[in-house]
Amino acid sequence: MDPLNIAGLVDGEGCIRITTRGRYGGTAIRPNQHTLMVELVNTDGGMVELMRATFGGTVSYLPENEEFNRRPQWHWRVAANKALACLDALY
């Protein structure tokens, strides 16, 4: 897939963030550790699997929920050095 299309997907369906662990709970090797993350949530499992195959990371599945009128969702997440490599490839 074209890097521009992937960048558009991350911009429209995902997020780029820096998380902090250790300050308000959670565990970290070093206090106040920061981690770069890139995430994508989509109802097309194939698209999310393509991101995992291309950049690594993990995929989780959230099933359909009729009570909230929500379709099934796949959530891809990559962190730290893999997230940096992903962003470098999209730049």
Side-chain angles (χ1 to χ4, degrees):
M1 178 177 261
D2 179 23
L4 291 176
N5 289 336
I6 294 174
L9 277 172
V10 171
D11 184 39
E13 305 283 335
C15 73
I16 301 166
R17 64 187 175 123
I18 297 174
T19 62
T20 303
R21 300 183 75 176
R23 181 187 291 173
Y24 301 110
T27 60
I29 296 171
R30 292 173 286 168
N32 302 321
Q33 179 179 352
H34 296 80
T35 304
L36 175 65
M37 299 186 85
V38 180
E39 300 176 284
L40 175 73
V41 178
N42 203 294
T43 58
D44 180 359
M47 184 64 60
V48 173
E49 181 56 33
L50 176 65
M51 295 295 285
R52 189 204 57 77
T54 304
F55 301 109
T58 60
V59 173
S60 58
Y61 174 73
L62 187 62
E64 180 177 10
N65 187 327
E66 291 183 14
E67 180 182 349
F68 296 110
N69 195 27
R70 183 179 62 214
R71 299 189 317 186
Q73 298 175 1
W74 284 264
H75 183 173
W76 167 76
R77 177 181 294 151
V78 68
N81 290 336
K82 289 182 180 181
L84 183 58
C86 173
L87 294 177
D88 282 344
L90 301 179
Y91 178 66

